[in-house]
Amino acid sequence: MFPTRFITAVLGGIAALVLVGAPSATAAPQPVAVRTIYYDASKAAELSPLVDQAAEIWNTRVTSVKLVAGQGGISVTTAQNGSAPGTASCVGCTRGQIYFYRNQIKSSGAGPLRVVVHEFGHILSLQHPSDIGNCDKVMAGGRCENPYPNADESAAVQRFWAGSRLRAEPGPLPADESETLGAPALVTR
């Protein structure tokens, strides 16, 4: 009986230390899972390199979501004419469509990379701010070249995806499924 009681006492003591923790130990913060959004730029023609560059710009500014080239997520298409330099079919989503319109990009006076980063901003959850034309905000549009989201825009994307109920990485979805994270599915310009 003595060895059984001894082992039980030792295990009980170890369990108590594990539950209480060492006096100087602090709990490490739990890492937030990175949400991956796949994008396919195979139909973006001459804008394809800018699509990859825009993804990299966002990837260097946020850590809760990552844009990765691949299929089953956001399709990027370039056409000659449209209603705006670009449109995104949803806000805060992992599946959708971005259209870029060559003639409207040229006539807008905005840098093409800025337009691409702006449309990805919609996919990443951002809406247009009230101060349209502010060159410091990539989501403000305008006749600007600056393609870099400001700190507030990056923080908003970070908060949205870090708080997302879809933290685990499911991989690309079949073409007929859609998830919008509770955000409205709409077309933005």
Side-chain angles (χ1 to χ4, degrees):
M1 288 287 253
F2 176 75
T4 304
R5 286 185 183 159
F6 177 75
I7 292 172
T8 302
V10 169
L11 290 176
I14 292 172
L17 284 175
V18 169
L19 290 175
V20 173
S24 63
T26 58
Q30 292 293 336
V32 174
V34 176
R35 179 76 176 145
T36 301
I37 300 175
Y38 295 94
Y39 68 90
D40 179 5
S42 63
K43 295 179 184 173
E46 73 281 358
L47 293 180
S48 185
L50 295 181
V51 171
D52 293 333
Q53 191 175 353
E56 185 59 29
I57 286 171
W58 280 111
N59 288 342
T60 61
R61 283 164 174 72
V62 295
T63 59
S64 59
V65 63
K66 183 174 177 114
L67 296 166
V68 176
Q71 296 183 346
I74 305 298
S75 297
V76 183
T77 304
T78 303
Q80 201 62 32
N81 291 301
S83 58
T87 60
S89 64
C90 59
V91 174
C93 58
T94 60
R95 299 211 16 94
Q97 181 75 42
I98 295 175
Y99 290 99
F100 294 109
Y101 304 104
R102 292 176 185 97
N103 288 339
Q104 283 67 31
I105 290 173
K106 287 177 187 172
S107 66
S108 74
L113 181 57
R114 180 180 175 88
V115 172
V116 177
V117 171
H118 172 97
E119 294 307 328
F120 268 114
H122 288 308
I123 296 298
L124 293 172
S125 76
L126 300 176
Q127 299 281 355
H128 295 136
S130 60
D131 55 346
I132 296 297
N134 180 344
C135 291
D136 292 332
K137 297 177 180 177
V138 76
M139 296 309 296
R143 297 170 106 38
C144 310
E145 290 291 326
N146 172 30
Y148 300 103
N150 70 20
D152 291 337
E153 292 169 318
S154 297
V157 169
Q158 184 68 21
R159 280 190 309 274
F160 180 86
W161 292 96
S164 169
R165 62 183 167 84
L166 298 171
R167 291 185 187 185
E169 178 50 54
L173 296 173
D176 60 356
E177 291 187 32
S178 174
E179 45 184 91
T180 61
L181 300 174
L186 54 96
V187 175
T188 58
R189 294 184 170 106

